[in-house]
Amino acid sequence: MLPGNSVAFSAKTEYGIVSLVELAAIYEQGGVLQVAEIAHRQSIPDRYLEQMLTSLRRARILRSIRGPKGGYQLARPPADITIADVVGCLEGEAAARAAASRDTPEFEVLSALQERLDQARAAILSGTSLQDLLEQRDQLAQAQAMYFI
Amino acid sequence: MLPGNSVAFSAKTEYGIVSLVELAAIYEQGGVLQVAEIAHRQSIPDRYLEQMLTSLRRARILRSIRGPKGGYQLARPPADITIADVVGCLEGEAAARAAASRDTPEFEVLSALQERLDQARAAILSGTSLQDLLEQRDQLAQAQAMYFI
DNA sequence: TGTATTCCCGACTACATCGATGGGGATCCG
DNA sequence: CGGATCCCCATCGATGTAGTCGGGAATACA
């Protein structure tokens, strides 16, 4: 009934998150990445990715630099950006609809169940930061490197 | 990316669940309810509800009786039917698609996150039976009756 | 100052899905 | 038989999603 907020992220959200993880990796050095660069590495249509990065900039999650040598960088440390922030930004527009369930007792208990689901989801999303995902990515890379010893 | 399986249930799923709760309430007496009757009480288009009940019958969650005095009833006790069963039945068709994420490390950690979300959701859905919802409905009715004393 | 590079903005399209409707058939009871 | 009820399938309109496109504005650098 509120058709954003799905368990399976939309392409918008997925593209946004993976881009942010890439940017998180270079946050310490203060580096920037360009849309085309991220899009190429992640096999995402660049003109489409542009829209997500624009939304993230408007939400103050990213900063942008124009002109040659320009690009994007995180607006604050990766540990201070949660996945809930990102999801709220990228699928917030469509999901801003009231549930408006029928008022029978059966629909009411259903709403209560939905509430529990939303809270469980929100707990995970707001308990996971870009820093967390970045660390997981690095651990993954390390684990995979082990196979080649 | 897999557009069933949303946190907010689809109308299909909502309609199915509220109907099943109604049927759960009369399971002990072995009674039946007709599509038109449920549809009217819950303000659901009856020709649409028919489709959900048909799906639930095919999934062996409901039994149907044709002809005059016909209708639907639960195929087994409400405590043995979980919401996960119902959701799996009613939004299963569309959700049966592989995630097929890109194979970059960033997409991989994202998949892992989605996995955690799915598990949290599944835990709630398979831990909630029609019996549970029915009891919540009855408690709700009782609580509301208190206001009129 | 000129020019290439990059981000910025908004319109547009193609396609799938969702909620819903409708026609006609099978089954059963009295 | 005749009406009530479930059964099956085709179709439809509205909406949203993923993606494309055409141009405009800022900036670095020669």
Side-chain angles (χ1 to χ4, degrees):
Chain A
M1 233 80 179
L2 30 141
N5 211 23
S6 59
V7 168
F9 297 124
S10 65
K12 259 190 171 64
T13 305
E14 293 202 348
Y15 296 167
I17 292 174
V18 298
S19 301
L20 290 172
V21 172
E22 286 224 64
L23 289 166
I26 59 166
Y27 176 80
E28 293 288 343
Q29 299 88 43
V32 300
L33 284 179
Q34 296 163 1
V35 177
E37 201 174 342
I38 300 174
H40 177 254
R41 292 218 296 243
Q42 300 292 338
S43 305
I44 297 172
D46 56 348
R47 297 300 302 273
Y48 190 40
L49 179 58
E50 216 180 307
Q51 297 175 33
M52 279 110 257
L53 299 190
T54 297
S55 296
L56 292 167
R57 176 182 54 79
R58 294 205 179 107
R60 313 277 178 153
I61 292 171
L62 285 182
R63 283 193 301 120
S64 65
I65 296 144
R66 300 218 263 193
K69 299 283 201 160
Y72 286 92
Q73 58 189 184
L74 296 190
R76 51 184 198 270
D80 294 357
I81 301 173
T82 71
I83 303 303
D85 296 334
V86 181
V87 169
C89 168
L90 291 175
E91 48 202 37
E93 22 262 67
R97 223 145 313 159
S101 281
R102 312 302 196 288
D103 53 1
T104 67
E106 289 77 19
F107 273 104
E108 287 189 45
V109 297
L110 182 57
S111 291
L113 175 60
Q114 304 226 38
E115 191 64 30
R116 268 170 276 153
L117 288 169
D118 284 342
Q119 283 174 1
R121 176 181 166 89
I124 293 176
L125 293 186
S126 60
T128 305
S129 69
L130 285 184
Q131 181 70 37
D132 295 330
L133 292 191
L134 180 59
E135 285 167 8
Q136 288 167 28
R137 189 199 69 161
D138 292 341
Q139 282 171 14
L140 188 74
Q142 226 169 358
Q144 285 175 345
M146 302 279 274
Y147 284 110
F148 296 110
I149 295 174
Chain B
M1 235 81 175
L2 28 140
N5 212 24
S6 59
V7 167
F9 296 126
S10 65
K12 259 191 169 64
T13 305
E14 292 201 349
Y15 296 166
I17 293 175
V18 298
S19 300
L20 289 173
V21 172
E22 285 223 64
L23 289 167
I26 60 166
Y27 176 79
E28 293 287 342
Q29 299 89 41
V32 301
L33 284 179
Q34 294 162 2
V35 177
E37 202 174 340
I38 301 174
H40 177 254
R41 293 219 294 246
Q42 300 291 339
S43 305
I44 297 172
D46 56 349
R47 297 302 305 273
Y48 190 41
L49 179 58
E50 215 180 306
Q51 297 175 33
M52 277 112 257
L53 299 190
T54 297
S55 296
L56 291 167
R57 176 183 52 80
R58 294 205 180 108
R60 312 278 178 153
I61 292 170
L62 286 181
R63 282 193 300 120
S64 65
I65 297 144
R66 299 218 264 193
K69 300 283 200 159
Y72 286 91
Q73 58 188 184
L74 296 190
R76 52 184 197 269
D80 294 357
I81 301 173
T82 70
I83 303 304
D85 296 334
V86 181
V87 170
C89 168
L90 291 175
E91 47 203 38
E93 21 262 68
R97 224 144 315 157
S101 281
R102 312 302 196 289
D103 53 1
T104 67
E106 290 76 19
F107 273 104
E108 287 189 45
V109 297
L110 182 57
S111 292
L113 175 61
Q114 305 226 36
E115 191 64 31
R116 268 170 276 154
L117 288 168
D118 284 342
Q119 284 175 0
R121 176 180 167 90
I124 294 176
L125 292 186
S126 59
T128 306
S129 70
L130 285 184
Q131 182 69 37
D132 296 329
L133 292 190
L134 180 58
E135 285 166 10
Q136 287 166 28
R137 188 199 70 161
D138 292 341
Q139 282 171 13
L140 188 73
Q142 225 168 358
Q144 286 175 343
M146 301 280 274
Y147 285 109
F148 296 110
I149 294 176

